[in-house]
Amino acid sequence: MIIAITIMLTIMLIKVFKKDVWDVNEELLKQEVMNIGSSVKYVNLSDITPFEWDLVYSFDPYTPKDLIYQTVGYKWDSISETVNGGMNQLVFMKNEKVVCYLYGYPANNGYGIFFSSEGKDVSAPASILSVEDDLIFQVVRGDNVILLTNNE
């Protein structure tokens, strides 16, 4: 009986402290971005993402959670609405599942990724890039922050 209870408690603790895949991948992405050499001026986004993805959404400031969920196709935990135009709200998807979620101010995260999709419908809540698109981003450094920008 004691062994069974110990096993059950261990399993419950593992589930409580286990990070979601989108959080783990965001940490890996941050490491990759922070390790971009100081002389590098341009990077290919697919070369620095240490996980597989097929679409990435960059949501406009103030986009309601429900609209984000509707756009990506399902709900997941730990999502917040941006409260400022300088914040990041990126959702990387693979096979219609969230694999990385980047949220917050670049100054707080240490990095930011900004892009706009070509011919974006102004009423759409997000810009979208496919892994097959032009993924060349300019690397901009300043104030202990690395910004990747691809504004077509």
Side-chain angles (χ1 to χ4, degrees):
M1 182 77 148
I2 293 174
I3 293 172
I5 291 173
T6 304
I7 291 171
M8 295 283 284
L9 286 174
T10 302
I11 291 171
M12 289 173 53
L13 283 173
I14 288 171
K15 287 185 177 186
V16 168
F17 292 108
K18 181 182 172 188
K19 288 189 173 186
D20 292 309
V21 67
W22 48 82
D23 291 330
V24 171
N25 284 338
E26 189 279 325
E27 289 176 13
L28 294 172
L29 176 61
K30 179 178 181 173
Q31 289 174 4
E32 290 291 323
V33 171
M34 300 308 282
N35 287 330
I36 294 172
S38 61
S39 64
V40 175
K41 302 288 185 215
Y42 295 93
V43 294
N44 185 316
L45 186 60
S46 62
D47 291 342
I48 61 165
T49 46
F51 49 86
E52 291 186 23
W53 59 278
D54 46 30
L55 293 175
V56 58
Y57 295 88
S58 177
F59 285 93
D60 296 338
Y62 314 107
T63 302
K65 290 183 200 183
D66 290 339
L67 188 52
I68 293 171
Y69 291 143
Q70 178 184 343
T71 303
V72 300
Y74 74 100
K75 293 183 179 184
W76 76 98
D77 295 336
S78 305
I79 186 172
S80 299
E81 296 172 9
T82 56
V83 295
N84 185 297
M87 295 180 76
N88 260 165
Q89 177 98 306
L90 271 70
V91 179
F92 288 83
M93 307 284 292
K94 177 68 177 176
N95 299 326
E96 300 180 4
K97 299 288 183 199
V98 175
V99 295
C100 182
Y101 177 57
L102 170 58
Y103 171 82
Y105 291 101
N108 294 341
N109 294 337
Y111 77 108
I113 302 173
F114 295 93
F115 67 87
S116 58
S117 46
E118 188 175 330
K120 178 185 178 274
D121 177 356
V122 293
S123 66
S127 292
I128 305 169
L129 284 179
S130 164
V131 73
E132 298 169 1
D133 290 338
D134 173 20
L135 300 175
I136 303 301
F137 281 70
Q138 182 178 11
V139 179
V140 180
R141 291 176 176 79
D143 298 329
N144 299 317
V145 175
I146 297 176
L147 300 177
L148 305 180
T149 61
N150 173 334
N151 295 318
E152 300 175 350

mmCIF file of all heavy atoms in Angstrom, residues 19-36:
data_model
loop_
_atom_site.group_PDB
_atom_site.id
_atom_site.type_symbol
_atom_site.label_atom_id
_atom_site.label_comp_id
_atom_site.label_asym_id
_atom_site.label_seq_id
_atom_site.Cartn_x
_atom_site.Cartn_y
_atom_site.Cartn_z
ATOM 1 N N LYS A 19 7.282 20.846 -17.435
ATOM 2 C CA LYS A 19 6.968 22.007 -18.265
ATOM 3 C C LYS A 19 6.299 21.560 -19.553
ATOM 4 O O LYS A 19 6.581 20.492 -20.075
ATOM 5 C CB LYS A 19 8.233 22.786 -18.603
ATOM 6 C CG LYS A 19 8.813 23.532 -17.443
ATOM 7 C CD LYS A 19 9.916 24.425 -17.903
ATOM 8 C CE LYS A 19 10.391 25.303 -16.770
ATOM 9 N NZ LYS A 19 11.360 26.278 -17.221
ATOM 10 N N ASP A 20 5.435 22.420 -20.056
ATOM 11 C CA ASP A 20 4.782 22.151 -21.330
ATOM 12 C C ASP A 20 5.780 22.322 -22.458
ATOM 13 O O ASP A 20 6.740 23.091 -22.359
ATOM 14 C CB ASP A 20 3.602 23.109 -21.528
ATOM 15 C CG ASP A 20 2.481 22.835 -20.541
ATOM 16 O OD1 ASP A 20 2.065 21.670 -20.429
ATOM 17 O OD2 ASP A 20 2.037 23.784 -19.880
ATOM 18 N N VAL A 21 5.526 21.630 -23.567
ATOM 19 C CA VAL A 21 6.444 21.646 -24.710
ATOM 20 C C VAL A 21 6.668 23.063 -25.226
ATOM 21 O O VAL A 21 7.784 23.427 -25.611
ATOM 22 C CB VAL A 21 5.958 20.695 -25.827
ATOM 23 C CG1 VAL A 21 4.664 21.199 -26.457
ATOM 24 C CG2 VAL A 21 7.026 20.522 -26.890
ATOM 25 N N TRP A 22 5.635 23.910 -25.208
ATOM 26 C CA TRP A 22 5.801 25.267 -25.731
ATOM 27 C C TRP A 22 6.697 26.111 -24.833
ATOM 28 O O TRP A 22 7.397 26.982 -25.318
ATOM 29 C CB TRP A 22 4.464 25.966 -25.982
ATOM 30 C CG TRP A 22 3.481 25.889 -24.864
ATOM 31 C CD1 TRP A 22 3.432 26.671 -23.742
ATOM 32 C CD2 TRP A 22 2.403 24.971 -24.750
ATOM 33 N NE1 TRP A 22 2.390 26.293 -22.939
ATOM 34 C CE2 TRP A 22 1.730 25.261 -23.532
ATOM 35 C CE3 TRP A 22 1.910 23.944 -25.548
ATOM 36 C CZ2 TRP A 22 0.625 24.543 -23.102
ATOM 37 C CZ3 TRP A 22 0.810 23.242 -25.117
ATOM 38 C CH2 TRP A 22 0.179 23.545 -23.917
ATOM 39 N N ASP A 23 6.706 25.841 -23.540
ATOM 40 C CA ASP A 23 7.601 26.558 -22.635
ATOM 41 C C ASP A 23 9.047 26.079 -22.792
ATOM 42 O O ASP A 23 9.978 26.878 -22.794
ATOM 43 C CB ASP A 23 7.155 26.387 -21.180
ATOM 44 C CG ASP A 23 5.863 27.110 -20.875
ATOM 45 O OD1 ASP A 23 5.594 28.152 -21.510
ATOM 46 O OD2 ASP A 23 5.110 26.633 -19.998
ATOM 47 N N VAL A 24 9.223 24.775 -22.907
ATOM 48 C CA VAL A 24 10.563 24.211 -23.106
ATOM 49 C C VAL A 24 11.159 24.733 -24.403
ATOM 50 O O VAL A 24 12.309 25.177 -24.446
ATOM 51 C CB VAL A 24 10.507 22.665 -23.110
ATOM 52 C CG1 VAL A 24 11.842 22.074 -23.540
ATOM 53 C CG2 VAL A 24 10.094 22.140 -21.745
ATOM 54 N N ASN A 25 10.362 24.720 -25.480
ATOM 55 C CA ASN A 25 10.858 25.185 -26.775
ATOM 56 C C ASN A 25 11.148 26.686 -26.771
ATOM 57 O O ASN A 25 12.074 27.133 -27.449
ATOM 58 C CB ASN A 25 9.889 24.818 -27.891
ATOM 59 C CG ASN A 25 9.983 23.353 -28.251
ATOM 60 O OD1 ASN A 25 10.991 22.693 -28.001
ATOM 61 N ND2 ASN A 25 8.928 22.827 -28.841
ATOM 62 N N GLU A 26 10.395 27.457 -26.008
ATOM 63 C CA GLU A 26 10.683 28.898 -25.929
ATOM 64 C C GLU A 26 12.035 29.122 -25.264
ATOM 65 O O GLU A 26 12.812 29.976 -25.683
ATOM 66 C CB GLU A 26 9.577 29.636 -25.175
ATOM 67 C CG GLU A 26 9.696 31.149 -25.249
ATOM 68 C CD GLU A 26 10.700 31.752 -24.277
ATOM 69 O OE1 GLU A 26 10.842 31.221 -23.153
ATOM 70 O OE2 GLU A 26 11.365 32.747 -24.633
ATOM 71 N N GLU A 27 12.343 28.350 -24.241
ATOM 72 C CA GLU A 27 13.649 28.468 -23.593
ATOM 73 C C GLU A 27 14.774 28.089 -24.555
ATOM 74 O O GLU A 27 15.819 28.741 -24.585
ATOM 75 C CB GLU A 27 13.692 27.595 -22.338
ATOM 76 C CG GLU A 27 12.844 28.135 -21.205
ATOM 77 C CD GLU A 27 12.817 27.221 -19.985
ATOM 78 O OE1 GLU A 27 13.644 26.276 -19.910
ATOM 79 O OE2 GLU A 27 11.972 27.441 -19.116
ATOM 80 N N LEU A 28 14.554 27.033 -25.346
ATOM 81 C CA LEU A 28 15.560 26.617 -26.334
ATOM 82 C C LEU A 28 15.730 27.678 -27.416
ATOM 83 O O LEU A 28 16.857 27.967 -27.838
ATOM 84 C CB LEU A 28 15.161 25.279 -26.958
ATOM 85 C CG LEU A 28 15.165 24.076 -26.019
ATOM 86 C CD1 LEU A 28 14.560 22.851 -26.708
ATOM 87 C CD2 LEU A 28 16.573 23.782 -25.512
ATOM 88 N N LEU A 29 14.622 28.269 -27.860
ATOM 89 C CA LEU A 29 14.682 29.328 -28.858
ATOM 90 C C LEU A 29 15.460 30.528 -28.307
ATOM 91 O O LEU A 29 16.303 31.101 -28.996
ATOM 92 C CB LEU A 29 13.271 29.747 -29.284
ATOM 93 C CG LEU A 29 13.165 30.911 -30.262
ATOM 94 C CD1 LEU A 29 13.874 30.596 -31.578
ATOM 95 C CD2 LEU A 29 11.690 31.244 -30.519
ATOM 96 N N LYS A 30 15.185 30.887 -27.074
ATOM 97 C CA LYS A 30 15.896 31.999 -26.457
ATOM 98 C C LYS A 30 17.398 31.746 -26.445
ATOM 99 O O LYS A 30 18.189 32.631 -26.781
ATOM 100 C CB LYS A 30 15.395 32.237 -25.029
ATOM 101 C CG LYS A 30 16.127 33.362 -24.325
ATOM 102 C CD LYS A 30 15.581 33.609 -22.940
ATOM 103 C CE LYS A 30 16.321 34.769 -22.276
ATOM 104 N NZ LYS A 30 15.711 35.140 -21.011
ATOM 105 N N GLN A 31 17.797 30.533 -26.085
ATOM 106 C CA GLN A 31 19.226 30.196 -26.081
ATOM 107 C C GLN A 31 19.834 30.360 -27.471
ATOM 108 O O GLN A 31 20.932 30.899 -27.615
ATOM 109 C CB GLN A 31 19.435 28.760 -25.593
ATOM 110 C CG GLN A 31 19.182 28.571 -24.125
ATOM 111 C CD GLN A 31 19.269 27.103 -23.718
ATOM 112 O OE1 GLN A 31 19.581 26.226 -24.513
ATOM 113 N NE2 GLN A 31 18.990 26.842 -22.455
ATOM 114 N N GLU A 32 19.126 29.900 -28.484
ATOM 115 C CA GLU A 32 19.629 30.007 -29.861
ATOM 116 C C GLU A 32 19.776 31.469 -30.281
ATOM 117 O O GLU A 32 20.778 31.851 -30.874
ATOM 118 C CB GLU A 32 18.707 29.275 -30.841
ATOM 119 C CG GLU A 32 18.745 27.777 -30.721
ATOM 120 C CD GLU A 32 20.059 27.171 -31.165
ATOM 121 O OE1 GLU A 32 20.663 27.673 -32.142
ATOM 122 O OE2 GLU A 32 20.489 26.192 -30.536
ATOM 123 N N VAL A 33 18.771 32.272 -29.983
ATOM 124 C CA VAL A 33 18.824 33.688 -30.358
ATOM 125 C C VAL A 33 19.947 34.393 -29.600
ATOM 126 O O VAL A 33 20.717 35.160 -30.177
ATOM 127 C CB VAL A 33 17.473 34.396 -30.101
ATOM 128 C CG1 VAL A 33 17.595 35.904 -30.290
ATOM 129 C CG2 VAL A 33 16.398 33.830 -31.025
ATOM 130 N N MET A 34 20.069 34.114 -28.319
ATOM 131 C CA MET A 34 21.097 34.771 -27.513
ATOM 132 C C MET A 34 22.508 34.354 -27.934
ATOM 133 O O MET A 34 23.464 35.075 -27.679
ATOM 134 C CB MET A 34 20.872 34.493 -26.019
ATOM 135 C CG MET A 34 19.516 34.979 -25.498
ATOM 136 S SD MET A 34 19.137 36.698 -25.867
ATOM 137 C CE MET A 34 20.126 37.510 -24.651
ATOM 138 N N ASN A 35 22.625 33.211 -28.590
ATOM 139 C CA ASN A 35 23.930 32.716 -29.044
ATOM 140 C C ASN A 35 24.284 33.155 -30.462
ATOM 141 O O ASN A 35 25.312 32.723 -30.994
ATOM 142 C CB ASN A 35 23.986 31.196 -28.940
ATOM 143 C CG ASN A 35 24.095 30.729 -27.501
ATOM 144 O OD1 ASN A 35 24.657 31.409 -26.656
ATOM 145 N ND2 ASN A 35 23.537 29.570 -27.219
ATOM 146 N N ILE A 36 23.475 33.997 -31.081
ATOM 147 C CA ILE A 36 23.809 34.502 -32.413
ATOM 148 C C ILE A 36 25.057 35.370 -32.282
ATOM 149 O O ILE A 36 25.119 36.253 -31.423
ATOM 150 C CB ILE A 36 22.635 35.320 -33.005
ATOM 151 C CG1 ILE A 36 21.425 34.421 -33.261
ATOM 152 C CG2 ILE A 36 23.063 36.013 -34.296
ATOM 153 C CD1 ILE A 36 20.166 35.172 -33.660
#
